[in-house]
Amino acid sequence: MSGMQSQPDVQATHPNVRAVQRALDDAGARDGSGAASRIRLLPEAVHTAAAAAEALGVGVGAIANSLVFDADDAPLLVLTSGAHRVDTAGLAASLGVTRLRRATPDFVKRHTGQVIGGVAPVGHPGPLRTVVDTALAAYDEVWAAGGVPRAVFPSTYAELLRITAGTAAEVA
């Protein structure tokens, strides 16, 4: 993780990164060691869980992918382990949703203020219904996007549930 930039650089960067860090600070978010969660900038953008895991030196399952779905015309944020895919039919049934499909880039941007590849669990214009994959509980620390494709932050499964007011669910 030596290639990541320090905190002062993060504060001088993109407004989305600043919004996510503010949301983390306001929530008192913690990483796996109990320290305050701080956004870190990777040397390059990472657009997949595998690329993020490689850049961070962690297992792909410890990456908390932020996926936005169109759930009966309402946004649904699913934080899923990078080790698997969301079973949309099963998740829709468990949530009582008639139609659950991957959101368009415009839908994602409108509801999160962020672009696909950098969607964070927090820092959106308004609250989003959120589901957190129970598979993330297997990791002492997980990594999530920080508002842009090269920003990440450390957290835990319990913290993701808390800071997003999310619902725990098996999503694969």
Side-chain angles (χ1 to χ4, degrees):
M1 289 189 278
S2 60
M4 288 192 273
Q5 293 182 5
S6 65
Q7 182 63 19
D9 295 319
V10 169
Q11 293 303 317
T13 193
H14 197 281
N16 285 355
V17 175
R18 291 193 305 269
V20 172
Q21 187 63 63
R22 250 189 329 275
L24 293 170
D25 292 345
D26 290 349
R30 300 285 176 223
D31 65 17
S33 72
S37 287
R38 293 279 171 240
I39 292 180
R40 299 173 192 165
L41 296 178
L42 298 171
E44 297 179 13
V46 290
H47 294 281
T48 66
E54 184 177 336
L56 292 164
V58 301
V60 71
I63 302 300
N65 280 337
S66 297
L67 305 176
V68 178
F69 290 88
D70 179 336
D72 294 338
D73 299 319
L76 173 70
L77 176 61
V78 179
L79 303 178
T80 185
S81 168
H84 53 74
R85 294 190 179 273
V86 173
D87 172 7
T88 54
L91 185 58
S94 72
L95 296 174
V97 172
T98 305
R99 187 187 61 173
L100 183 67
R101 60 188 169 134
R102 228 26 204 277
T104 66
D106 288 340
F107 186 93
V108 172
K109 177 84 169 162
R110 184 172 59 240
H111 292 287
T112 68
Q114 302 162 1
V115 297
I116 293 173
V119 175
V122 296
H124 314 126
L128 293 179
R129 181 179 185 190
T130 303
V131 172
V132 182
D133 186 356
T134 56
L136 292 169
Y139 301 92
D140 293 334
E141 187 165 73
V142 297
W143 289 83
V148 297
R150 67 181 279 240
V152 294
F153 70 91
S155 189
T156 66
Y157 170 73
E159 279 293 272
L160 288 177
L161 282 169
R162 185 183 69 78
I163 67 175
T164 64
T167 302
E170 289 185 23
V171 303

